[in-house]
Amino acid sequence: MVSLKESDLRLFIDSVRRYFEVTSRVAPEITSAFLGVGEVQGHEFNGIVKFSGPMNGQVTVSLPMRAVRELLLIQHETKLTEANLLDAVGEIANTLAGNARRNLGKDLDISVPTTVRGAHVAGQRARQHPYVITFRWNTYPGMVCVDLAQAA
């Protein structure tokens, strides 16, 4: 499978920045971007969107509980249940996937987001080494794992 271009990865970085700037008026600091080796270690709350069509794979957004809680409070949400926290991180993943679809092509199919609680970002890999973008927003760490490859 063909690798993503640098411009394709840049769109995910830009989407992360834009999401947090618009939602909280606080821009995240991108702390690193690298190829993941082995199991990618995430945070407590994970939103996952799968891609199919011209590209296959998934994008995972991973945040600690305190970051998701703060995002909900900024949005004036007072029900801080686990279900709402999971919905929130799923919505972030959905937003990033929608932005990617606009840039990568309308023929790209994206799934409804799924959510998982736990630090291990698992699943069948599209790439041997997925792209990992780490960031810090309002003192909290975060991660986006881009595991996409061009379909054969």
Side-chain angles (χ1 to χ4, degrees):
M1 293 187 182
V2 178
S3 292
L4 293 172
K5 299 181 294 247
E6 183 180 339
S7 61
D8 298 332
L9 296 172
R10 171 67 50 198
L11 79 92
F12 284 98
I13 291 171
D14 292 344
S15 287
V16 169
R17 280 193 179 117
R18 208 169 25 256
Y19 179 86
F20 284 95
E21 285 174 351
V22 169
T23 303
S24 70
R25 301 196 191 285
V26 175
E29 173 193 357
I30 304 303
T31 53
S32 66
F34 58 92
L35 291 175
V37 178
E39 188 173 347
V40 176
Q41 190 74 10
H43 301 283
E44 245 178 307
F45 286 85
N46 300 281
I48 303 159
V49 174
K50 295 190 182 296
F51 289 75
S52 60
M55 294 188 135
N56 294 316
Q58 66 184 31
V59 171
T60 303
V61 174
S62 187
L63 292 166
M65 179 174 57
R66 293 180 67 199
V68 183
R69 287 174 54 92
E70 189 159 330
L71 278 169
L72 286 175
L73 289 170
I74 286 169
Q75 296 172 22
H76 306 290
E77 175 58 63
T78 57
K79 294 180 184 173
L80 302 176
T81 64
E82 182 172 320
N84 279 359
L85 296 171
L86 287 167
D87 284 347
V89 78
E91 186 54 38
I92 297 168
N94 194 49
T95 299
L96 296 183
N99 290 340
R101 185 173 185 240
R102 271 196 299 280
N103 289 291
L104 297 175
K106 63 179 170 67
D107 294 333
L108 189 62
D109 294 320
I110 59 174
S111 72
V112 172
T114 57
T115 55
V116 177
R117 187 162 183 188
H120 297 291
V121 179
Q124 186 176 10
R125 293 263 194 238
R127 304 176 43 81
Q128 182 177 1
H129 302 291
Y131 296 100
V132 179
I133 301 160
T134 63
F135 60 93
R136 182 161 298 284
W137 169 76
N138 210 15
T139 75
Y140 302 110
M143 184 209 50
V144 175
C145 181
V146 180
D147 184 21
L148 294 175
Q150 297 286 335

